[in-house]
Amino acid sequence: MRKWVPTILVVIVLIVGWVYAANQNYFREEEAEQAKLLGIQTGDIQSITIHDTTAETSGTAASSILTLENGVWQMVEPKSYPLNGYSVSSWLDALIGANQELMVEEAPTDLDKYGLGTDATRLDIKLKDNREIKLAIGSQLPADDARYVRVDDGPVVAVQTETITNIALSRRDLLDTTPFNMDETNVGSLEWEGEAATWMLTSTSENGAAEQTWTLNGKTIEATDAVSLIGKIKNLSTADDVRKASELKNSVPRFSLSVEQTVNGQQVRDVYRGLTMPSEPDQIWVITPDGQWAYAMDATSLTEAEKFPDTIKASTTSAEESSTSANDATTSSSTDGKYVWRKISDK
């Protein structure tokens, strides 16, 4: 038995060594690192031009140019439209993070078969060192999980469809389409003055919106109703490009909305104005507090927000009536019971 002891010890050492090596990934091949589509960083980009050929422009390429100015992205063409900062940031992240899934053709001679001809979606990316990258996005691969893409005059490669969805954005996808800038957790009051209704929503405490005590025209309402009203107004958006407010001529006042909220510890009061044009009675233009921009809004959606307090009042009244009916029924039942008990006692 003794002669087997050295052999057993060697086997044990080998087993322990193998287990340790396996845990340290010594036996695993290095995963091939996917090549980045552009090979640049966000900080390298100075401007991006979006070329868009759609039915709206009758086949004419419409360009939108975004440029970085003093650390802030601005749209300079076709107009200095306000941008949604979150959308722009996510868009840039998608561009920088895009990977090449596979090489399709190294030296393509027929770009049309990949949808990379005149119908391709195109982006021109200008870098701070004055280099320019031209990105073309074509049709889908047969498997439908990737799109054909070409950078400059390079090879045709495949990029995941999900990634392309986050890259191939239109101008409108990047615009700030919501005129009402407010946060439910910061709002202290809303005051609406309009043709169809006038009301005031006020918070009487400083907790989160869902925990605050709210009054509507001086009467206490449920916090959920208050939050719903704020959200209904906040989430209203336009489906069209914004316009310079100065372009609206002969407009008629429709409503005003005063919003008081706490921003960075300071009380801020913003006033939004709603205007209509005699030629477009079903459209209301919402003017931002700075007086610069006009957002085209559907009159119906704004009317719903304007009259929303009526639904709260109706709901509250209905609940009170139900409660009153229930109390009457209980009282009646109780009274009947006493009457029967007295009759039995009399007997």
Side-chain angles (χ1 to χ4, degrees), residues 89-339:
S89 179
S90 298
W91 180 51
L92 294 173
D93 288 344
L95 277 168
I96 300 306
N99 294 319
Q100 298 181 25
E101 298 302 320
L102 59 89
M103 176 82 69
V104 178
E105 186 175 353
E106 188 169 357
T109 56
D110 182 6
L111 294 176
D112 287 334
K113 71 178 181 180
Y114 299 117
L116 292 169
T118 56
D119 293 333
T121 298
R122 298 183 184 278
L123 300 177
D124 294 342
I125 304 170
K126 186 176 181 180
L127 306 182
K128 292 180 179 178
D129 61 6
N130 290 323
R131 285 185 297 149
E132 190 172 33
I133 298 174
K134 293 185 179 296
L135 177 66
I137 301 170
S139 53
Q140 291 183 324
L141 272 70
D144 204 30
D145 59 350
R147 297 273 293 276
Y148 296 112
V149 175
R150 195 184 192 202
V151 177
D152 294 329
D153 294 326
V156 175
V157 299
V159 177
Q160 286 187 352
T161 299
E162 182 179 357
T163 299
I164 294 301
T165 299
N166 295 325
I167 291 176
L169 302 184
S170 67
R171 176 179 75 244
R172 197 161 291 166
D173 293 325
L174 299 170
L175 296 182
D176 183 0
T177 59
T178 55
F180 298 104
N181 183 17
M182 64 180 81
D183 186 335
E184 292 94 329
T185 60
N186 297 334
V187 172
S189 70
L190 298 180
E191 184 174 0
W192 184 289
E193 294 185 6
E195 293 179 351
T198 298
W199 48 262
M200 177 179 287
L201 177 71
T202 307
S203 168
T204 58
S205 60
E206 298 181 354
N207 299 322
E211 301 176 2
Q212 292 177 350
T213 300
W214 293 90
T215 61
L216 180 62
N217 295 334
K219 295 183 179 180
T220 302
I221 64 171
E222 295 290 337
T224 52
D225 288 331
V227 173
S228 179
L229 174 55
I230 296 171
K232 181 177 283 292
I233 295 174
K234 170 189 173 181
N235 294 324
L236 289 171
S237 63
T238 181
D240 300 315
D241 286 344
V242 297
R243 291 175 60 179
K244 287 283 189 180
S246 57
E247 296 177 3
L248 301 179
K249 305 298 183 182
N250 301 319
S251 59
V252 178
R254 174 66 175 73
F255 72 86
S256 69
L257 175 66
S258 175
V259 181
E260 289 189 357
Q261 55 185 332
T262 303
V263 180
N264 297 325
Q266 300 293 322
Q267 292 292 325
V268 177
R269 182 173 180 268
D270 293 322
V271 178
Y272 299 86
R273 293 179 298 124
L275 308 175
T276 56
M277 306 292 288
S279 59
E280 302 173 312
D282 295 329
Q283 191 172 68
I284 297 178
W285 293 91
V286 176
I287 312 300
T288 53
D290 58 13
Q292 290 190 16
W293 299 105
Y295 288 73
M297 313 293 288
D298 178 60
T300 301
S301 59
L302 276 167
T303 301
E304 289 177 0
E306 185 174 45
K307 295 185 176 181
F308 186 76
D310 292 340
T311 65
I312 296 176
K313 182 178 180 181
S315 176
T316 303
T317 302
S318 177
E320 290 175 351
E321 290 176 352
S322 298
S323 177
T324 301
S325 298
N327 289 335
D328 290 344
T330 301
T331 302
S332 175
S333 175
S334 176
T335 303
D336 291 345
K338 289 179 181 179
Y339 176 78

